[in-house]
Amino acid sequence: MANRMAKRCSASFNLAGVLGAAREAAWRDARGRAEQYAALAGVALGRVLRIDEVGGARPVLPLAGRYEAQAAAGPAVEVGEAEVGARVAVTWALLDPPLPPAGERSW
């Protein structure tokens, strides 16, 4: 029973793949927002200056007292859902728009 359940869990939930997809979606969202703000400001996005993954794994707390016996027995496996997400903060350089030709400048 334990082997069959372990195979079923690993086959139906690939954390690395799901987290990778969440990171890609977070990147697309960050880039889209940055492009929108840059366009509103009349500038263009330059190169990426910094990338920070916001949040992260929760710390693992040690079990004490009566919970040690339950932990030694192994995890309980239940059918359910897991929500996986990613948040990213990206800093881009902003590029000034190109100057108009000399004959079209207003200054």
Side-chain angles (χ1 to χ4, degrees):
M1 175 72 170
N3 287 338
R4 187 173 71 227
M5 185 59 73
K7 288 179 184 175
R8 182 182 306 159
C9 290
S10 64
S12 64
F13 187 69
N14 176 357
L15 180 59
V18 172
L19 190 53
R23 285 182 179 128
E24 288 177 21
W27 176 264
R28 285 191 303 272
D29 182 58
R31 174 111 188 163
R33 288 173 187 236
E35 287 172 344
Q36 181 181 19
Y37 282 120
L40 291 169
V43 296
L45 290 183
R47 66 184 184 91
V48 172
L49 301 175
R50 183 179 177 142
I51 302 172
D52 292 309
E53 190 167 14
V54 181
R58 296 180 188 165
V60 177
L61 302 175
L63 297 176
R66 60 186 169 153
Y67 298 112
E68 289 177 353
Q70 291 175 351
V77 178
E78 295 181 21
V79 175
E81 296 179 356
E83 184 174 320
V84 177
R87 294 176 57 199
V88 65
V90 184
T91 304
W92 276 274
L94 297 177
L95 305 176
D96 290 327
L99 291 174
E104 298 177 22
R105 293 183 193 161
S106 61
W107 37 275

